[in-house]
Amino acid sequence: MAIAFTKELIRKELEKLKNDLENRNLPDVIEQNDKYLNLLKNSTLDIAITGVSGAGKSSLVNALRGMTDSEEGAAETGETQITMERMKYSHPTFPNVSIWDLPGIGTPDFKAKNYLKKVHFKEYDFFVIVASNRFTTNDVLLAREILKMKKKFYYVRTKVDVSVDSERRKPNFCEEKCLDKIREYCCDNLAKAGESNPLVFLISRWDLNMFDFPHLQVTLENDLDDLKKYALIASMPAFSRDVLKKKKAAMESLIWKVSLVSCGIGAIPVPGLSLVCDIGILVATMRYFCKVFGLDEDSLRRLASRVRKPLSMLRSAIKKSPMASQVTTEFVTDLLTKSLVCGAVMAAEFALDFVPVLGSLTGGALSFVTTFYILKSFLHDVEEDAENVRAKAVES
C-alpha cells in the first residue's frame, strides 16, 4: 500500500487531536467514541417510496439499493399495480438501511383518507412521493395527508429522460427550458395541495447522476440527523465523484473515533516491529471501507449487471486495494510487517510527541498513531480504486 501522507500532514491532524484533548479526560473521550461507534453500527434509516401506481416506485427502490430490476431480490416492477401491500427491501450491503415500497395510493384497498395509517406512516424517516407524466388528484391528496401528519416528503418526478427525449423532436428545443417547465408544473400543483415550499426533484431511474438526483441526495442529508445522514452516505451507490468525496469525508471522521478506541484497548505487538495496534479493529474497519466504496464481490457483481459490462473488466480497475473478503488478520499483519516499515518509524516518532495526552508509548500513543496512519493510507487507496471502477463502469 502506497504511503500517501507526509509527516507534515499527519502531524498537523494529530496536533488538532492533542489540542482537543488537553482539557478533557482521555478515558471519557474513548468511552464516548465507543458509544458513538455502537450508535453508528445500530442506527437505522427507513425510507418510504410511495405514489400512484405505475409511476416507477419499484424501479427507484432498486436504484437506491444499487440493483437492477431483473436481479434476484429486486422489487418487482410493472406497468400495472404490482405492490399490493407494503414491502420492506433491506439494502444488500447495509441491512440497517431499509427502503419500503408502498402500495400505490388511490387503489381500491388504499384510499387516500386512510392511506398513511394503513402503511404505518410513523415507522419511516421520510416519504418520497414518486410520479411520472401528469400530476394526479391522488398526488394532491397524498401530499395533504402527509402534511397533516407533520411528516417530511419529497416529490420525485421520474422518467424525465423519456419526457425530454419526446420534446427533443420539436423545433427550438431547449433542455433547460423543458426541465424548468416540468418542475414549475409540479411545484404549482404541490402549492395547491398546501405545501408552501415544495421540493421537486426530476430524475432518471437509469442514471442517478442525471438531472436532480444529486440535489435530492444533498437535501436528504441536510434534513437527517448525523447518524441517519451517515447511514445514507455509506449506503448510497457511488455514481459520481461527489458521492465518493462524501463517503471519504464520512470515513475520515470514523478514523478518528476508531483510532481513539484502539488507543484504549490492550495493544497487540506485531512480530518483528516495534509497532502496536489492535489488529481486529483494523480488519473490521478496512472491510467496512471496501463495502462503503463498493469494493466487494457482491457490489461489483451488481454494478457489472447494471452497466452491462464483464465483472472482470471492473475488477481490473482495482489496482491498490484488496477486495473486502481478502482483508484478513493475516493480510493486515503482513501489511504491517512488509509494507510499512518506514511508516512504523514515522508512527513511533509521532507517538513520542503525544505520550502526554495519549498514554504510554507501548500502549495508547503508539496504538492510536499506528491505527490512524494505516487507516488514512488505506482509505486513500480505496477511494482511488473506487473512482477507477466508477470511470470504467461509465466508459462508452
Side-chain angles (χ1 to χ4, degrees):
M1 181 169 57
I3 298 175
F5 303 95
T6 64
K7 289 184 178 182
E8 290 74 19
L9 175 60
I10 296 178
R11 186 179 296 279
K12 183 178 179 180
E13 296 201 31
L14 291 176
E15 282 292 347
K16 294 178 184 177
L17 177 67
K18 182 178 179 180
N19 293 335
D20 185 53
L21 289 176
E22 279 183 350
N23 299 315
R24 302 171 67 188
N25 182 275
L26 180 60
D28 289 345
V29 174
I30 292 173
E31 182 181 2
Q32 181 182 3
N33 275 274
D34 193 27
K35 288 180 179 178
Y36 187 80
L37 289 173
N38 283 327
L39 286 174
L40 280 182
K41 182 179 179 181
N42 296 311
S43 179
T44 60
L45 177 63
D46 291 275
I47 304 171
I49 308 293
T50 185
V52 297
S53 302
K57 301 191 307 297
S58 298
S59 287
L60 181 58
V61 168
N62 294 331
L64 291 172
R65 299 164 70 218
M67 302 177 72
T68 64
D69 290 341
S70 59
E71 68 182 285
E72 184 179 353
E76 188 176 355
T77 60
E79 292 300 320
T80 58
Q81 172 71 7
I82 294 294
T83 308
M84 300 306 295
E85 58 183 30
R86 67 174 188 149
M87 296 291 293
K88 177 181 179 180
Y89 293 94
S90 298
H91 191 282
T93 307
F94 302 95
N96 58 319
V97 176
S98 300
I99 304 173
W100 295 79
D101 189 3
L102 304 185
I105 189 171
T107 55
D109 292 332
F110 292 92
K111 296 295 185 182
K113 186 176 181 179
N114 298 315
Y115 182 81
L116 292 181
K117 184 177 181 181
K118 279 196 169 187
V119 299
H120 305 273
F121 78 97
K122 292 182 179 180
E123 296 180 11
Y124 315 116
D125 293 298
F126 58 83
F127 287 84
V128 174
I129 300 179
V130 179
S132 63
N133 301 321
R134 292 290 175 185
F135 201 96
T136 69
T137 302
N138 286 323
D139 290 326
V140 175
L141 292 173
L142 179 55
R144 284 177 178 167
E145 290 302 314
I146 293 175
L147 289 172
K148 285 180 185 176
M149 299 295 183
K150 302 188 184 303
K151 278 283 186 177
K152 196 87 175 179
F153 77 86
Y154 308 88
Y155 189 85
V156 170
R157 166 65 156 79
T158 61
K159 305 178 184 179
V160 172
D161 47 337
V162 177
S163 298
V164 170
D165 285 343
S166 66
E167 291 290 317
R168 201 181 299 277
R169 303 182 184 92
K170 297 180 179 180
N172 303 318
F173 168 78
C174 173
E175 181 173 306
E176 184 176 352
K177 289 182 179 179
C178 178
L179 295 174
D180 286 343
K181 184 178 179 180
I182 296 172
R183 192 177 288 110
E184 183 179 355
Y185 168 77
C186 296
C187 287
D188 287 346
N189 280 281
L190 284 171
K192 293 175 184 177
E195 176 57 84
S196 58
N197 184 30
L199 296 174
V200 173
F201 303 91
L202 313 182
I203 71 168
S204 164
R205 178 263 178 271
W206 304 110
D207 187 348
L208 296 184
N209 203 30
M210 292 177 66
F211 309 120
D212 293 340
F213 191 87
H215 179 43
L216 171 61
Q217 183 189 358
V218 171
T219 304
L220 296 179
E221 291 169 16
N222 292 337
D223 288 345
L224 293 170
D225 64 37
D226 287 345
L227 293 174
K228 293 184 183 293
K229 175 181 177 179
Y230 179 91
L232 179 70
I233 292 174
S235 64
M236 189 63 65
F239 57 84
S240 69
R241 286 191 179 94
D242 285 342
V243 172
L244 290 176
K245 289 179 181 178
K246 290 176 186 287
K247 287 177 178 285
K248 183 180 181 182
M251 295 307 103
E252 285 178 331
S253 176
L254 184 68
I255 286 174
W256 285 108
K257 296 174 175 59
V258 167
S259 298
L260 274 169
V261 172
S262 176
C263 172
I265 294 176
I268 304 172
V270 177
L273 293 177
S274 58
L275 187 65
V276 292
C277 59
D278 188 277
I279 302 293
I281 284 179
L282 286 176
V283 170
T285 308
M286 287 178 175
R287 284 178 182 168
Y288 182 69
F289 285 176
C290 289
K291 291 182 178 181
V292 166
F293 285 89
L295 301 184
D296 60 279
E297 286 289 341
D298 289 341
S299 295
L300 275 183
R301 176 184 53 77
R302 286 191 294 270
L303 177 59
S305 175
R306 195 164 71 248
V307 300
R308 299 179 181 179
K309 291 187 177 179
L311 179 59
S312 58
M313 180 183 294
L314 299 184
R315 275 207 199 101
S316 70
I318 302 174
K319 305 295 185 183
K320 296 182 177 181
S321 313
M323 299 291 282
S325 60
Q326 296 172 324
V327 180
T328 62
T329 299
E330 292 74 22
F331 168 82
V332 172
T333 303
D334 187 61
L335 182 68
L336 289 166
T337 305
K338 293 181 178 179
S339 303
L340 291 176
V341 175
C342 57
V345 174
M346 186 189 300
E349 178 183 331
F350 286 151
L352 288 170
D353 293 337
F354 291 93
V355 168
V357 291
L358 294 177
S360 66
L361 177 61
T362 57
L366 193 51
S367 182
F368 174 88
V369 176
T370 302
T371 302
F372 173 82
Y373 173 78
I374 292 171
L375 291 179
K376 285 281 283 187
S377 298
F378 188 80
L379 178 60
H380 176 273
D381 290 347
V382 167
E383 184 206 18
E384 187 174 309
D385 278 339
E387 170 56 25
N388 291 339
V389 170
R390 190 197 67 80
K392 183 71 71 175
V394 299
E395 275 183 1
S396 56

